[in-house]
Amino acid sequence: MSGALQDWKSQKKPFAAVATAPVFWLGLFFIAPMTIVWLYSFGQNAGPADIDISGTLDNYKRATEWLYLSIFLKSFAVAALTTLICLIIGFPVAMAITFAAPKWRPWLLLGIMLPFWTNLLIRTYALMALMGSNGYMNKGLGGLWDGASWLRTLVGMQPLEAWTPVQLLYNNFAVVLGLVYVHLPFMVLPLYSALDRLDKSLIEASLDLGAGHFKTFMKIVVPLAAPGIFAGVMITLVPALGAYLTPDLMGGTDSQMIANVIERQFKRANDWPFGAALSFLLIYAMFILIALQSMRANKVKEAG
Amino acid sequence: MFNRTAIAPLEYTRKLWMRSWVGLTMLFLYAPLVVLMIFSFNDSKRNVVWKGFTLKYYEKALNNDSLVEAMVNSLTIAFLATIISLVIGALAAVMLWRFRFPFKGLVEGTMSLPIIVPEICLGVAFLIFFAKLDWPTDLAWPLNLSAITIAHITFCFPFVAMVVRARLASFNREEEEAAKDLGATEWQAFRDVLLPHIKPSLVAGALLAFTLSLDDFVITFFTSGPDTITFPVKVYSMVRFSVTPEVNAASTILIILTVALTFIALKYQGVKGIAETH
């Protein structure tokens, strides 16, 4: 690269021209709002529309009560399960795109990305329509049930009872399915970019030397694609942990995630300081996840 | 696709199980959307049985004033947010790429935060911020959209900055120096040398910002006043109360709009360019 970075002092005018707007915007419309939330998290309600920032830690203490702690743990479990399912579904898809004929590759990528560009609410709604009690998923299951029933009569057994539509929506299963549906593209793209960089002759060498496809996959492909796997896991886990819309629309009364609890503090429960404390706990959780990921990345760099 | 040569060891994509896996995944991703689009033309209130072709739900959706208003609001916000994010994001990218300045790491880190911080936390922050400022909610259109637009710019411009900065990495600074040696001013060098180089990334960034803004529900939900609705907020309330074919029709219009935008970008950048944006 020609030309190192220029010192801002030697170029004060151009620096001011480019730096003013972004720094101003970031300060006024990001740092200021976040700071107010942070301050509120140490406050308490003093009157209907008045919050007294008294430096109390009560909001954080309340957040460690089992009721809220369990919702945190549950959100984490749901996000982790979603990520795992996305990884299992996404890895073969990313491999298929990597090893596809060059003329197909961009179209397969586009196929994965197009839903990602489509409105999240519309996608959630479309999935809900399919999963409703007289939606196609129930019809499909009903068809399978009738088929099973018919098979039983063939071998001389009593037919099964008539199919009653099952409740697919408004439970934890629906939340996980909805989250997988929404986040799958997030997982496939980083996996693909890692696999694409992988030196294919290593796989060939492994196969030539007598390792089977499965062994080659576990010993060569997975370790070499590790950075992509970790990136994909992070990029799926972080938004899934803070998901609001999917648990709100597709979940039942017991499938609330942490974002729904935060929302309630600001709307129905009207306890802004507690909601502020919960949002900062969620932000800290993200920071810990990201710090873990970058520590791992640094270790790999040092070792390599 | 169906050539008869033997499958080479690395042609995983030609293996049947791999093809079915990809096929099923695509089915999973697209079936709900396709069903939704098909049934927006269905002449029946119930969503499951095909009763014949009709456009009446489109007519209904387009005659639903609050739905149309929400759509216009959403497009206006997306348009304004895209333009301002583009300017701020490009400036931020040039700043980080070109200069050494105190607390650079801090500025860079802070700028990536709006991407990382969960939507719900950002939404809550804007709710408190605008309440604290007593931001007026009863202004005339389009000023009543200002709070939402500001919030959208905050989470859109870091994405633009990221895309533009990636493109700047391939810029040859000697070109700019040559322009200056030949007598171009700082501004002329920027306009005639640097700007043409980053143009593709500006298109990609604009597209990304537009989609992000149009897509956003959570932050808008917290920032919008009682009388301003955007398309996702409107659809949300319609889905909450009842599922009507009108929502299908309106959604289909938006899906078609998104696909059209993607294909315009495709023409501009090629499939590969779009793929690299993410």
Side-chain angles (χ1 to χ4, degrees):
Chain A
M1 272 302 291
S2 71
L5 290 169
Q6 292 165 345
D7 195 62
W8 72 284
K9 279 192 214 124
S10 63
Q11 299 263 328
K12 273 189 186 151
K13 254 197 196 150
F15 178 72
V18 295
T20 314
V23 171
F24 170 80
W25 194 280
L26 209 56
L28 185 60
F29 293 125
F30 180 66
I31 302 192
M34 292 313 277
T35 311
I36 298 175
V37 180
W38 189 72
L39 289 173
Y40 268 27
S41 72
F42 300 102
Q44 58 206 35
N45 275 327
D50 201 21
I51 284 150
D52 176 28
I53 298 164
S54 55
T56 173
L57 288 173
D58 285 354
N59 297 314
Y60 289 98
K61 242 181 247 157
R62 202 176 138 205
T64 56
E65 282 171 18
W66 177 241
L67 174 65
Y68 298 105
L69 204 61
S70 64
I71 291 178
F72 252 107
L73 291 175
K74 187 173 173 188
S75 306
F76 200 82
V78 167
L81 183 62
T82 302
T83 310
L84 183 71
I85 297 173
C86 282
L87 185 64
I88 293 169
I89 299 178
F91 208 102
V93 175
M95 288 234 345
I97 300 175
T98 312
F99 294 103
K103 78 169 183 217
W104 285 100
R105 208 175 297 152
W107 294 106
L108 284 169
L109 268 177
L110 187 72
I112 294 293
M113 269 182 324
L114 208 53
F116 175 88
W117 292 83
T118 313
N119 195 297
L120 173 69
L121 192 61
I122 294 180
R123 280 195 289 157
T124 309
Y125 165 68
L127 192 62
M128 282 171 75
L130 216 58
M131 286 169 73
S133 52
N134 42 26
Y136 275 95
M137 260 191 205
N138 244 315
K139 287 217 149 133
L141 287 175
L144 286 178
W145 183 270
D146 289 344
S149 175
W150 178 73
L151 279 179
R152 278 174 73 114
T153 55
L154 271 191
V155 291
M157 287 196 293
Q158 282 296 312
L160 295 165
E161 299 159 41
W163 168 254
T164 44
V166 282
Q167 183 62 276
L168 292 169
L169 276 174
Y170 313 121
N171 51 36
N172 293 326
F173 162 79
V175 174
V176 173
L177 190 77
L179 287 173
V180 169
Y181 181 64
V182 169
H183 291 98
L184 191 59
F186 287 93
M187 177 62 92
V188 174
L189 297 177
L191 284 179
Y192 163 73
S193 70
L195 286 171
D196 195 41
R197 277 197 292 271
L198 190 147
D199 184 355
K200 286 162 190 89
S201 56
L202 292 172
I203 304 174
E204 276 165 353
S206 167
L207 292 174
D208 284 347
L209 293 171
H213 280 285
F214 184 72
K215 202 169 173 191
T216 305
F217 177 77
M218 292 312 279
K219 298 247 162 168
I220 308 285
V221 179
V222 170
L224 285 174
I229 296 176
F230 281 98
V233 165
M234 288 306 293
I235 236 171
T236 316
L237 190 64
V238 168
L241 188 57
Y244 169 77
L245 200 58
T246 314
D248 183 59
L249 284 176
M250 301 180 77
T253 42
D254 68 329
S255 10
Q256 288 185 46
M257 286 173 72
I258 193 66
N260 307 95
V261 180
I262 295 176
E263 187 258 357
R264 200 157 17 129
Q265 305 310 317
F266 283 91
K267 302 248 152 141
R268 249 165 301 158
N270 205 15
D271 189 350
W272 289 22
F274 183 53
L278 286 176
S279 4
F280 260 88
L281 287 173
L282 180 59
I283 293 176
Y284 294 145
M286 305 279 167
F287 282 168
I288 293 171
L289 283 176
I290 289 161
L292 287 176
Q293 150 81 358
S294 61
M295 257 161 61
R296 201 206 61 88
N298 283 341
K299 229 190 221 159
V300 171
K301 234 182 244 166
E302 274 164 31
Chain B
M1 197 170 173
F2 295 103
N3 49 2
R4 301 267 172 230
T5 51
I7 297 176
L10 283 190
E11 288 185 305
Y12 288 107
T13 317
R14 287 183 59 199
K15 294 197 174 155
L16 188 64
W17 79 267
M18 205 72 150
R19 282 193 172 170
S20 353
W21 192 276
V22 174
L24 284 175
T25 307
M26 292 291 180
L27 186 73
F28 174 55
L29 285 177
Y30 285 95
L33 293 173
V34 172
V35 169
L36 176 136
M37 288 169 84
I38 291 173
F39 280 92
S40 71
F41 298 105
N42 186 17
D43 194 5
S44 150
K45 263 235 164 291
R46 303 276 291 248
N47 263 331
V48 277
V49 190
W50 183 257
K51 286 270 166 67
F53 182 86
T54 177
L55 285 173
K56 74 174 175 205
Y57 294 111
Y58 285 85
E59 215 181 300
K60 251 184 153 173
L62 291 174
N63 285 326
N64 182 337
D65 287 339
S66 69
L67 194 62
V68 173
E69 188 197 326
M71 196 71 158
V72 171
N73 279 350
S74 270
L75 290 172
T76 313
I77 293 167
F79 181 72
L80 294 174
T82 302
I83 292 186
I84 302 174
S85 307
L86 211 53
V87 174
I88 299 180
L91 289 174
V94 173
M95 166 179 86
L96 292 172
W97 165 77
R98 185 163 154 186
F99 294 104
R100 188 171 54 228
F101 54 92
F103 304 113
K104 187 174 174 175
L106 189 70
V107 173
E108 211 176 337
T110 313
M111 205 149 78
S112 62
L113 281 182
I115 301 179
I116 303 164
V117 167
E119 277 188 309
I120 183 92
C121 301
L122 209 53
V124 160
F126 279 114
L127 173 73
I128 297 181
F129 180 68
F130 288 118
K132 192 108 187 149
L133 284 183
D134 263 329
W135 197 270
T137 53
D138 51 356
L139 296 168
W141 192 90
L143 286 175
N144 59 352
L145 308 175
S146 55
I148 305 175
T149 312
I150 287 171
H152 282 199
I153 294 166
T154 298
F155 70 78
C156 287
F157 92 85
F159 283 98
V160 176
M162 214 164 64
V163 175
V164 174
R165 207 176 166 199
R167 174 75 188 168
L168 277 169
S170 68
F171 181 70
N172 183 357
R173 268 170 222 239
E174 283 163 8
E175 284 177 31
E176 202 185 8
E177 279 159 25
K180 283 190 196 154
D181 284 346
L182 292 170
T185 62
E186 193 72 48
W187 164 246
Q188 283 171 330
F190 175 75
R191 191 192 56 196
D192 296 334
V193 181
L194 196 63
L195 213 52
H197 180 80
I198 60 173
K199 203 169 146 202
S201 67
L202 290 178
V203 175
L207 200 79
L208 194 58
F210 194 83
T211 340
L212 284 170
S213 168
L214 206 58
D215 196 26
D216 178 73
F217 166 74
V218 174
I219 294 169
T220 314
F221 187 51
F222 281 95
T223 329
S224 60
D227 306 318
T228 30
I229 36 164
T230 66
F231 183 74
V233 174
K234 179 74 190 165
V235 171
Y236 177 78
S237 64
M238 287 172 97
V239 172
R240 282 246 93 160
F241 293 116
S242 66
V243 175
T244 62
E246 247 176 289
V247 182
N248 288 12
S251 304
T252 305
I253 296 174
L254 198 67
I255 293 174
I256 289 171
L257 185 76
T258 320
V259 173
L261 272 178
T262 311
F263 276 89
I264 292 170
L266 213 67
K267 247 193 140 156
Y268 219 92
Q269 284 212 287
V271 183
K272 244 195 131 163
I274 299 292
E276 276 156 11
T277 310
H278 283 282

Coordinates of all heavy atoms in Angstrom, one line a residue, chain A residues 98-132:
Chain A
T98 N -20.1 -24.0 -2.1 CA -18.6 -23.9 -2.3 C -18.2 -24.8 -3.5 O -17.4 -24.4 -4.3 CB -17.8 -24.3 -1.1 OG1 -18.4 -23.6 0.0 CG2 -16.4 -24.0 -1.2
F99 N -18.8 -26.0 -3.5 CA -18.3 -27.0 -4.5 C -19.3 -27.0 -5.7 O -19.1 -27.9 -6.5 CB -18.2 -28.4 -3.8 CG -17.1 -28.4 -2.8 CD1 -17.4 -28.4 -1.5 CD2 -15.8 -28.5 -3.2 CE1 -16.4 -28.5 -0.5 CE2 -14.8 -28.5 -2.3 CZ -15.1 -28.5 -0.9
A100 N -20.2 -26.1 -5.8 CA -21.1 -26.1 -6.9 C -20.3 -25.6 -8.2 O -19.3 -24.9 -8.0 CB -22.3 -25.2 -6.7
A101 N -20.9 -25.9 -9.3 CA -20.3 -25.4 -10.6 C -20.3 -23.8 -10.5 O -21.2 -23.2 -10.1 CB -21.0 -25.9 -11.8
P102 N -19.2 -23.2 -11.0 CA -19.1 -21.7 -10.9 C -20.3 -21.0 -11.4 O -20.6 -19.9 -10.9 CB -17.8 -21.4 -11.8 CG -17.1 -22.7 -11.8 CD -18.0 -23.8 -11.7
K103 N -21.0 -21.5 -12.4 CA -22.1 -20.7 -13.0 C -23.3 -20.8 -12.1 O -24.2 -20.0 -12.1 CB -22.4 -21.1 -14.4 CG -23.1 -22.4 -14.5 CD -23.6 -22.6 -16.0 CE -24.5 -23.8 -16.0 NZ -24.4 -24.7 -17.1
W104 N -23.4 -21.8 -11.2 CA -24.5 -22.0 -10.3 C -24.3 -21.2 -9.0 O -25.2 -20.8 -8.3 CB -24.7 -23.4 -10.0 CG -25.4 -24.2 -11.1 CD1 -24.8 -25.0 -12.0 CD2 -26.8 -24.1 -11.4 NE1 -25.7 -25.4 -12.9 CE2 -26.9 -24.9 -12.5 CE3 -27.9 -23.5 -10.9 CZ2 -28.2 -25.1 -13.1 CZ3 -29.1 -23.7 -11.5 CH2 -29.2 -24.5 -12.6
R105 N -23.0 -21.1 -8.6 CA -22.7 -20.6 -7.3 C -23.4 -19.2 -6.9 O -24.0 -19.1 -5.9 CB -21.2 -20.4 -7.2 CG -20.7 -20.6 -5.8 CD -19.2 -20.6 -5.7 NE -18.6 -21.7 -6.4 CZ -17.4 -21.7 -6.9 NH1 -16.7 -20.6 -6.9 NH2 -16.9 -22.8 -7.5
P106 N -23.2 -18.2 -7.8 CA -23.8 -16.9 -7.5 C -25.3 -17.0 -7.3 O -25.9 -16.3 -6.4 CB -23.5 -16.0 -8.6 CG -22.5 -16.7 -9.4 CD -22.5 -18.1 -9.1
W107 N -26.0 -17.9 -8.1 CA -27.4 -18.0 -7.9 C -27.8 -18.7 -6.7 O -28.8 -18.3 -6.0 CB -28.0 -18.7 -9.2 CG -27.8 -17.9 -10.4 CD1 -26.9 -18.1 -11.4 CD2 -28.4 -16.6 -10.7 NE1 -26.9 -17.1 -12.3 CE2 -27.9 -16.2 -11.9 CE3 -29.5 -15.9 -10.1 CZ2 -28.3 -15.0 -12.6 CZ3 -29.9 -14.7 -10.8 CH2 -29.3 -14.3 -11.9
L108 N -27.1 -19.7 -6.3 CA -27.3 -20.3 -5.0 C -27.2 -19.3 -3.8 O -28.0 -19.2 -2.9 CB -26.4 -21.5 -4.8 CG -26.7 -22.7 -5.6 CD1 -25.6 -23.8 -5.5 CD2 -28.0 -23.4 -5.0
L109 N -26.1 -18.5 -3.9 CA -25.9 -17.5 -2.9 C -27.0 -16.5 -2.9 O -27.5 -16.1 -1.8 CB -24.6 -16.7 -3.2 CG -23.3 -17.2 -2.6 CD1 -22.1 -16.4 -3.1 CD2 -23.4 -17.2 -1.1
L110 N -27.5 -16.1 -4.0 CA -28.6 -15.2 -4.1 C -29.8 -15.8 -3.5 O -30.6 -15.1 -2.8 CB -28.8 -14.8 -5.5 CG -29.9 -13.7 -5.7 CD1 -29.3 -12.3 -5.3 CD2 -30.3 -13.6 -7.2
G111 N -30.0 -17.1 -3.7 CA -31.1 -17.8 -3.2 C -31.1 -17.8 -1.7 O -32.2 -17.7 -1.0
I112 N -30.0 -17.9 -1.1 CA -29.9 -17.8 0.4 C -30.1 -16.4 0.9 O -30.7 -16.1 1.9 CB -28.5 -18.3 0.9 CG1 -28.3 -19.8 0.6 CG2 -28.3 -18.0 2.3 CD1 -29.2 -20.7 1.4
M113 N -29.6 -15.4 0.1 CA -29.7 -14.0 0.5 C -31.0 -13.3 0.3 O -31.3 -12.4 1.1 CB -28.6 -13.2 -0.1 CG -27.3 -13.2 0.7 SD -26.0 -12.3 0.0 CE -26.3 -12.5 -1.7
L114 N -31.8 -13.7 -0.7 CA -33.0 -13.0 -1.0 C -34.0 -12.9 0.2 O -34.5 -11.8 0.5 CB -33.6 -13.6 -2.2 CG -34.5 -12.7 -3.1 CD1 -33.7 -11.4 -3.5 CD2 -35.0 -13.4 -4.3
P115 N -34.2 -14.0 0.9 CA -35.1 -13.9 2.1 C -34.5 -12.9 3.1 O -35.3 -12.3 3.8 CB -35.1 -15.3 2.7 CG -34.6 -16.2 1.6 CD -33.7 -15.4 0.7
F116 N -33.2 -12.9 3.2 CA -32.6 -12.0 4.2 C -32.9 -10.5 3.8 O -33.0 -9.7 4.7 CB -31.1 -12.2 4.0 CG -30.2 -11.4 4.8 CD1 -29.8 -11.7 6.1 CD2 -29.6 -10.2 4.3 CE1 -29.0 -10.9 6.9 CE2 -28.8 -9.4 5.0 CZ -28.5 -9.8 6.3
W117 N -33.1 -10.2 2.6 CA -33.5 -8.9 2.2 C -35.0 -8.6 2.4 O -35.4 -7.5 2.3 CB -33.1 -8.6 0.7 CG -31.7 -8.6 0.4 CD1 -30.9 -9.6 0.2 CD2 -30.8 -7.4 0.3 NE1 -29.6 -9.2 0.0 CE2 -29.5 -7.9 0.1 CE3 -31.1 -6.0 0.5 CZ2 -28.5 -7.0 -0.1 CZ3 -30.0 -5.2 0.3 CH2 -28.7 -5.7 0.0
T118 N -35.7 -9.7 2.5 CA -37.2 -9.5 2.7 C -37.5 -9.1 4.1 O -36.9 -9.5 5.0 CB -37.9 -10.8 2.3 OG1 -37.3 -11.3 1.1 CG2 -39.4 -10.6 2.1
N119 N -38.6 -8.3 4.2 CA -39.0 -7.8 5.5 C -39.2 -8.9 6.6 O -39.9 -9.9 6.3 CB -40.3 -7.1 5.3 CG -40.6 -6.2 6.5 OD1 -40.8 -6.7 7.6 ND2 -40.6 -4.9 6.3
L120 N -38.5 -8.8 7.7 CA -38.6 -9.7 8.8 C -40.0 -10.0 9.3 O -40.4 -11.2 9.5 CB -37.8 -9.2 10.0 CG -37.8 -10.0 11.3 CD1 -37.1 -11.3 11.1 CD2 -37.2 -9.2 12.4
L121 N -40.8 -9.0 9.4 CA -42.2 -9.2 9.8 C -43.0 -10.0 8.8 O -43.7 -10.9 9.2 CB -42.8 -7.8 10.1 CG -44.1 -7.8 10.8 CD1 -43.9 -8.3 12.2 CD2 -44.6 -6.4 10.9
I122 N -42.8 -9.7 7.5 CA -43.5 -10.4 6.5 C -43.1 -11.9 6.5 O -43.9 -12.8 6.4 CB -43.2 -9.8 5.1 CG1 -43.8 -8.5 5.0 CG2 -43.8 -10.7 4.0 CD1 -43.6 -7.8 3.7
R123 N -41.8 -12.2 6.7 CA -41.3 -13.6 6.8 C -41.9 -14.3 8.0 O -42.4 -15.4 7.9 CB -39.8 -13.6 6.8 CG -39.2 -13.4 5.5 CD -37.8 -13.9 5.5 NE -37.0 -12.9 6.2 CZ -35.8 -13.2 6.7 NH1 -35.3 -14.4 6.6 NH2 -35.1 -12.3 7.4
T124 N -41.9 -13.6 9.1 CA -42.5 -14.2 10.3 C -44.0 -14.5 10.1 O -44.5 -15.6 10.4 CB -42.3 -13.3 11.5 OG1 -41.0 -12.9 11.6 CG2 -42.7 -14.0 12.8
Y125 N -44.7 -13.5 9.5 CA -46.1 -13.7 9.3 C -46.4 -14.8 8.3 O -47.3 -15.6 8.5 CB -46.6 -12.3 8.8 CG -48.0 -12.4 8.1 CD1 -49.1 -12.7 8.9 CD2 -48.2 -12.2 6.8 CE1 -50.4 -12.7 8.3 CE2 -49.4 -12.2 6.2 CZ -50.5 -12.5 7.0 OH -51.7 -12.6 6.4
A126 N -45.5 -14.9 7.3 CA -45.7 -16.0 6.3 C -45.6 -17.3 6.9 O -46.4 -18.3 6.6 CB -44.7 -15.8 5.1
L127 N -44.6 -17.5 7.8 CA -44.4 -18.7 8.5 C -45.5 -19.1 9.4 O -46.0 -20.2 9.5 CB -43.1 -18.7 9.3 CG -42.5 -20.0 9.8 CD1 -42.2 -20.9 8.7 CD2 -41.3 -19.8 10.6
M128 N -46.1 -18.0 10.0 CA -47.2 -18.2 10.9 C -48.4 -18.7 10.2 O -49.1 -19.6 10.7 CB -47.5 -16.9 11.7 CG -46.6 -16.6 12.8 SD -46.9 -14.9 13.4 CE -48.4 -15.2 14.3
A129 N -48.6 -18.1 9.0 CA -49.8 -18.5 8.2 C -49.7 -20.0 7.8 O -50.7 -20.7 7.8 CB -49.9 -17.7 7.0
L130 N -48.5 -20.5 7.6 CA -48.3 -21.8 7.2 C -48.5 -22.8 8.4 O -48.8 -23.9 8.2 CB -46.8 -22.0 6.7 CG -46.6 -22.9 5.5 CD1 -47.5 -22.5 4.3 CD2 -45.2 -22.9 5.1
M131 N -48.1 -22.3 9.6 CA -48.2 -23.1 10.8 C -49.5 -23.1 11.5 O -49.7 -23.8 12.5 CB -47.0 -22.7 11.7 CG -45.7 -23.2 11.2 SD -44.4 -22.4 12.2 CE -44.5 -23.3 13.7
G132 N -50.4 -22.2 11.1 CA -51.7 -22.1 11.8 C -52.5 -23.4 11.9 O -52.1 -24.4 11.2

